[in-house]
Amino acid sequence: MPWPAAPDLLAPLAPWFGRVRRDLPWRATDLDAPHPDPYAVLVSELMLQQTQVATVVPYFNRWLARFPTPQALAEADEDTVHKAWEGLGYYRRARFLKAAAVSVAAEGWPGDLEGLAQLPGLGPYTAAAVGAIAFQWPAPALDGNAFRVLARLLLIEGDPKIRAADLRTWLAPALEAHGPSRLTQAIMELGATVCAPTPACGACPLADACAARQAERTGEIPPAGKRAKPKESAIWLVAMEAEGYLLLHAPATSGLLAGLWRWPTIEASELASQTPAPGLVPMLAWPGWTQVYTHRREAVSPLHLRLGTRFQAAEGLRWIPAADLSALPLGQRDQRLRDLLATPGQTPLEAPDPAALIRACATLLG
DNA sequence: AACTCGTGGGG
DNA sequence: TCCCCAAGAGT
């Protein structure tokens, strides 16, 4: 790898970061010392996986107020943990973080990078980031920002992740020279604010040294990733209400929205075929919306059905007192129906005779 | 080694 | 509207 020496090439990043660095709630004042609260670094890094800084900040602040130490988090029950993560997405991160806190509370912090990487939810990037930012270990942390910055700086053709091992070897001496915490955060800050997918080279401290800029190829380096087409589906999202209770699915242990409570769903085609009077269905529904996930697009038709009495719910379904609903962790889709139920003036039209529809849903759900 | 896992912001 | 991407990890 005929790359210029990293300590020299990256030297401008240190004074640049000292000037422009954002004041983030998990960021230490003294970047030359070990971080005063490694737990804060761990929380921030789990929250920041595939999630932008601006989104994380309010969650981070609430999280540390609610769970100030690994011990406090280790003792929290799963619904409480998921409630604090509600809306942030990728919910298994919350379970990984709690499991990591259990380990730290019981055995203390690992003493090396391999130990960090064994904590649940910490892969190659996050283990190195916590090692560098919390403990000042010279561990190269390569995230999407770092790969983009270094691919352009060094004019790496193709997917830079293929060169991860070379890049770590190349970067390590620069971490020693400029400080692991400082340089790690400076590279990512540059990628997030200047060397973004659409770069602002005029503001870049590395512009003079950047090989991609000299070649006028920043627009094509790194190449865009390939993405699979999202799967399409259409569902009814069903709020059944009886005797002041609402019917919810208890949290699943795996799959989409695992760990969260969910409204029962019925595949749209299924309900249409089973309802004796399909023409009644739209009259009981609110206008729907499209729920977007990374690999799915879901046409959601919200449905509110009032029953006179509860029925024996199927396995995994629970009748929840309506007053308790706000304490349960829900995903964005299910929060939206919860909000519809609680909003006056949003009541859908009543069907002339919804009994057939209710029987159909009860058959499908219980 | 593809595939899965949420949600929000920006062009 | 659509596509890309975001301080990725686990399977």
Side-chain angles (χ1 to χ4, degrees):
Chain A
M1 32 179 198
W3 296 331
D8 293 340
L9 204 59
L10 299 177
L13 279 181
W16 170 82
F17 188 61
R19 261 193 330 273
V20 307
R21 70 178 210 173
R22 294 173 287 181
D23 188 15
L24 305 177
W26 52 84
R27 193 165 268 177
T29 304
D30 182 1
L31 296 181
D32 292 303
H35 197 285
D37 187 2
Y39 169 68
V41 176
L42 180 68
V43 172
S44 73
E45 287 300 337
L46 267 291
M47 288 187 169
L48 285 163
Q49 289 173 2
Q50 296 293 287
T51 309
Q52 295 183 347
V53 165
T55 302
V56 166
V57 167
Y59 282 90
F60 174 87
N61 287 327
R62 287 194 295 268
W63 190 277
L64 268 101
R66 180 70 183 79
F67 313 110
T69 64
Q71 290 73 20
L73 178 55
E75 295 167 2
D77 67 78
E78 197 146 300
D79 269 355
T80 304
V81 168
H82 283 103
K83 189 67 187 177
W85 202 275
E86 184 181 68
L88 197 51
Y90 286 158
Y91 296 93
R92 66 178 176 164
R93 293 181 294 169
R95 300 188 289 280
F96 288 148
L97 182 53
K98 175 182 158 66
V102 168
S103 172
V104 170
E107 305 174 27
W109 289 95
D112 57 26
L113 192 61
E114 292 67 32
L116 280 179
Q118 288 174 8
L119 293 175
L122 278 71
Y125 162 74
T126 307
V130 172
I133 297 170
F135 300 119
Q136 297 285 6
W137 300 340
L142 300 179
D143 72 328
N145 291 309
F147 280 117
R148 184 172 56 252
V149 167
L150 299 181
R152 287 173 175 164
L153 182 65
L154 303 172
L155 193 52
I156 295 173
E157 310 267 3
D159 182 1
K161 292 182 174 61
I162 296 172
R163 307 293 298 275
D166 289 338
L167 286 169
R168 290 193 192 95
T169 302
W170 176 80
L171 186 57
L175 295 171
E176 303 269 15
H178 305 298
S181 177
R182 176 180 296 101
L183 189 63
T184 297
Q185 296 185 76
I187 292 171
M188 292 190 287
E189 189 103 333
L190 186 72
T193 64
V194 176
C195 194
T198 301
C201 299
C204 181
L206 302 181
D208 291 343
C210 181
R213 180 168 186 253
Q214 290 166 11
E216 297 184 356
R217 295 180 60 192
T218 56
E220 55 191 275
I221 293 179
K226 301 170 184 173
R227 293 169 192 283
K229 288 182 181 177
K231 297 173 182 175
E232 307 277 352
S233 63
I235 61 157
W236 292 93
L237 194 59
V238 183
M240 281 210 167
E241 183 172 5
E243 304 176 74
Y245 289 77
L246 292 159
L247 190 63
L248 275 294
H249 267 297
T253 56
S254 66
L256 191 66
L257 304 179
L260 304 182
W261 292 77
R262 291 163 294 127
W263 296 108
T265 58
I266 299 172
E267 192 176 340
S269 58
E270 200 171 348
L271 181 55
S273 65
Q274 292 216 6
T275 306
L280 294 180
V281 173
M283 302 190 65
L284 280 167
W286 285 279
W289 68 88
T290 299
Q291 186 69 31
V292 178
Y293 305 99
T294 302
H295 292 91
R296 304 185 196 196
R297 288 174 56 86
E298 192 175 63
V300 178
S301 301
L303 196 56
H304 182 198
L305 300 177
R306 296 176 191 277
L307 284 67
T309 59
R310 284 176 280 171
F311 56 87
Q312 180 67 43
E315 181 71 20
L317 292 169
R318 309 279 171 73
W319 289 101
I320 303 294
D324 295 353
L325 194 56
S326 62
L328 299 182
L330 305 181
Q332 195 261 11
R333 178 195 71 188
D334 300 282
Q335 286 184 60
R336 193 159 171 172
L337 178 52
R338 180 180 64 190
D339 292 345
L340 277 175
L341 295 174
T343 303
Q346 294 296 310
T347 308
L349 295 172
E350 294 292 337
D353 178 17
L357 181 56
I358 291 172
R359 278 198 302 276
C361 286
T363 301
L364 290 167
L365 300 177

